């Protein structure tokens, strides 16, 4: 009986730890920003770029409807496309740190996490002259060692999401259009303009879906703040 109870406790602890490491709603390993702060606002975020195959067209689409996004960029892609990273900033979009090579941070030491973030920060700084305030852990995965690294490094915190579009693989645009129909004001949407390991990844389905929904959201009066313009519990990380 005691062995069974101990096993159940271990399983429960393992389940809680797993949830804390992967859920965008968990704050067990540090506060996270996961919602927009107004029911009339929707934050559009894009991971894994910049991607010369799709990001320029995406920037044109966003501009057409007066929308701004937040691009969580991978350092090695920024070094390969510094002009595109600079263009993002010049056109009024926000940028975030998505590490240098997109590793699973759960398994990395604090020193390795710091190296990943610093290399990405340096690449973004060289390309744009700016230092991102927010980071997004690859896959949303984090362990207890991440938050202390962010505090010591001066980052504002972790920006996660309310709703994922499950768009990281090529797919018919209609699938994403249907998923996007469930998006609501007050949410941070997770989308992808790139791929961690492919420089010119096919993200045409993302563009097609946004071509369908952006004009409808704009007509309904939705605003599109960047992550830098939101307020949330993750801001406590800067002073804790």
């Amino acid at each position: 009986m005691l062995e069974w109870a101990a096993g159940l406790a271990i399983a429960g602890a393992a389940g809680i730890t797993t949830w804390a490491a992967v859920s965008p709603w968990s704050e067990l390993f540090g506060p996270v920003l996961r919602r927009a702060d107004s029911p009339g606002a929707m934050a559009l975020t894009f991971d894994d770029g910049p991607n010369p195959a799709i990001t320029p067209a995406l920037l044109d689409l966003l501009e057409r409807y007066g929308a701004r996004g937040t691009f969580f960029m991978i350092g090695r892609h920024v070094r390969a496309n510094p002009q595109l990273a600079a263009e993002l900033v010049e056109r009024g979009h926000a940028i975030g740190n998505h590490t240098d090579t997109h590793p699973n941070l759960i398994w990395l030491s604090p020193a390795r996490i710091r190296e990943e973030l610093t290399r990405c920060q340096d690449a973004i700084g060289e390309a744009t002259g700016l230092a991102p305030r927010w980071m997004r852990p690859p896959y949303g995965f984090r362990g207890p060692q991440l938050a202390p690294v962010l505090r010591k490094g001066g980052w504002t915190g972790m920006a996660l999401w309310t709703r994922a579009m499950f768009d990281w693989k090529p797919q018919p645009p209609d699938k994403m259009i249907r998923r996007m129909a469930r998006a609501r004001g007050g949410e941070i949407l997770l989308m992808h303009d790139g791929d961690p390991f492919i420089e010119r990844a096919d993200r045409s389905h993302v563009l097609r879906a946004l071509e369908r929904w952006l004009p409808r959201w704009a007509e309904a009066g939705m605003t599109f703040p960047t992550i830098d313009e939101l307020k949330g519990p993750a801001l406590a990380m800067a002073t804790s």
Side-chain angles (χ1 to χ4, degrees):
M1 186 68 173
L2 289 176
E3 290 180 355
W4 177 85
L8 187 61
I10 291 170
I16 291 171
T17 300
T18 300
W19 175 80
V22 305
S23 171
W25 294 93
S26 166
E27 293 190 326
L28 186 61
F29 294 150
V32 297
L33 180 63
R34 58 180 182 267
R35 290 194 62 85
D37 46 12
S38 166
M42 184 184 295
L44 309 177
T45 70
F46 304 90
D47 287 8
D48 298 346
N51 175 5
I54 200 69
T55 306
L58 181 58
L59 295 179
D60 290 341
L61 178 64
L62 293 171
E63 184 173 349
R64 194 180 313 154
Y65 295 103
R68 289 176 299 153
T70 304
F71 291 78
F72 288 92
M73 300 190 291
I74 293 174
R76 70 184 192 90
H77 287 342
V78 173
R79 285 190 293 275
N81 303 280
Q83 296 87 358
L84 185 52
E87 184 181 353
L88 283 164
V89 173
E90 291 167 2
R91 296 177 72 165
H93 302 284
I95 52 178
N97 187 316
H98 201 42
T99 74
D100 197 58
T101 65
H102 205 272
N104 181 343
L105 299 184
I106 292 176
W107 309 115
L108 297 191
S109 68
R112 280 285 291 115
I113 292 174
R114 189 177 304 109
E115 179 183 359
E116 281 283 336
L117 293 173
T118 300
R119 282 181 56 80
C120 180
Q121 201 85 342
D122 289 346
I124 291 173
E126 290 175 10
T128 70
L130 298 180
R133 298 170 49 219
W134 292 92
M135 68 83 63
R136 175 172 282 167
Y139 317 105
F141 294 174
R142 68 271 188 205
Q145 73 277 40
L146 176 56
V149 172
L150 297 180
R151 281 194 293 267
K152 291 176 183 177
W155 280 280
T156 298
M158 290 177 269
L160 295 182
W161 57 85
T162 320
R163 188 181 299 274
M165 291 293 106
F166 299 99
D167 59 344
W168 50 80
K169 291 183 179 180
Q171 58 193 264
D174 286 350
K175 285 189 174 183
M176 189 168 172
I177 288 171
R178 289 194 295 271
R179 287 190 211 105
M180 206 169 271
R182 296 191 287 270
R184 297 290 182 268
E187 296 185 335
I188 297 173
L189 302 189
L190 167 62
M191 295 171 280
H192 295 76
D193 66 325
D195 182 281
F197 313 110
I198 302 172
E199 185 175 337
R200 301 184 66 90
D202 179 7
R203 293 290 177 263
S204 57
H205 52 287
V206 179
L207 188 66
R208 300 284 89 81
L210 282 171
E211 285 175 340
R212 170 67 178 269
W213 283 107
L214 259 182
R216 288 163 171 78
W217 291 335
E219 185 177 353
M222 193 70 66
T223 62
F224 306 99
T226 68
I227 290 294
D228 288 339
E229 295 171 318
L230 301 181
K231 295 180 175 63
L235 292 174
M237 189 168 286
T239 58
S240 61

